[in-house]
Amino acid sequence: YFNDNQRHATKLAAELAGLKVERLINEPTAAAIAYGLHQKQEGMFLILDLGGGTFDVSLLEFFDGIMEVHASAGDNFLGGEDFVDAMVDDVLREYGLKRDSLKPLVLQNLYLQMENAKRKLGAEDQLLTLDLGKRTVEFAVTSEWFARISTPLLLRAKHPIERAIRDAGLQRSKIDDVVLVGGSTRLGIFRST
């Protein structure tokens, strides 16, 4: 999603680093190559890259040793950090608090606890002891709670996927495989949606 100036600056930076730049490709395409998809059988692949701060989607086709990008889409403001933000916001809302009412260290610790809880989400609930400044509370992180607060983010993730498929003029049944890239795709709720 770089403009011409950004692409030129990226190319120049790589050349200054001593690299020969043949062309620039988007991150999901690079991930597909890194995962070795270009060495697999022919087919149509949907690459979903949900990292910490962005969500990128590419629809790639491999045939006769050629990789063709049919469409790319994304959300530059959707990533794993947004799931943690939603967790923190919901905890604060439940206890009637605002971010600016907490000391920075207290807020930072809350973020760290929610990030760790997000990474450990699974079959078992987690009971956290949260320091909310003037009080300490016990808070249960459950899959149901996480699903509820994540729904708006998952709906946002749906839009770039649908846009890429629509832009490629492709039916979903023609996609041979979906490749999940980026740490946030490990979330069970993302994989099951």
Side-chain angles (χ1 to χ4, degrees):
Y1 309 109
F2 277 13
N3 63 33
D4 285 340
N5 290 339
Q6 292 168 316
R7 293 176 66 79
H8 178 72
T10 301
K11 183 176 186 270
L12 182 60
E15 289 170 348
L16 289 172
L19 300 173
K20 179 183 176 196
V21 180
E22 293 185 19
R23 65 185 166 137
L24 298 177
I25 57 176
N26 67 22
E27 190 176 357
T29 304
I33 292 169
Y35 276 79
L37 283 184
H38 62 292
Q39 298 170 347
K40 293 190 176 193
Q41 65 187 22
E42 297 179 349
M44 189 70 69
F45 299 92
L46 181 65
I47 314 296
L48 305 179
D49 182 357
L50 183 63
T54 62
F55 178 52
D56 299 304
V57 178
S58 283
L59 199 51
L60 309 174
E61 183 177 11
F62 297 104
F63 58 95
D64 294 333
I66 298 170
M67 177 179 63
E68 182 180 345
V69 179
H70 284 274
S72 292
D75 186 332
N76 289 335
F77 303 101
L78 176 62
E81 295 169 2
D82 295 293
F83 289 87
V84 176
D85 279 341
M87 295 168 79
V88 168
D89 288 345
D90 197 69
V91 167
L92 294 177
R93 186 172 27 259
E94 183 163 325
Y95 293 101
L97 299 170
K98 298 201 181 292
R99 288 173 190 256
D100 57 4
S101 70
L102 299 177
K103 292 181 179 178
L105 187 58
V106 171
L107 188 59
Q108 180 182 8
N109 285 335
L110 180 58
Y111 266 91
L112 287 173
Q113 284 184 283
M114 290 299 117
E115 175 67 35
N116 287 332
K118 179 187 80 168
R119 292 176 186 214
K120 294 177 184 175
L121 274 170
E124 294 184 24
D125 296 345
Q126 301 171 58
L127 187 61
L128 304 179
T129 302
L130 304 177
D131 173 9
L132 299 177
K134 296 180 181 175
R135 61 181 160 167
T136 301
V137 298
E138 298 289 317
F139 188 82
V141 175
T142 66
S143 296
E144 294 80 17
W145 172 75
F146 187 72
R148 180 179 54 79
I149 64 165
S150 298
T151 298
L153 298 171
L154 295 171
L155 291 173
R156 275 181 59 194
K158 224 174 124 177
H159 296 298
I161 296 169
E162 291 171 343
R163 187 170 53 245
I165 293 170
R166 184 178 56 249
D167 289 352
L170 196 70
Q171 295 176 356
R172 292 172 197 236
S173 61
K174 299 294 183 188
I175 297 172
D176 296 305
D177 204 356
V178 176
V179 178
L180 301 177
V181 180
S184 296
T185 62
R186 292 186 185 126
L187 290 171
I189 194 165
F190 185 82
R191 289 175 172 263
S192 65
T193 301

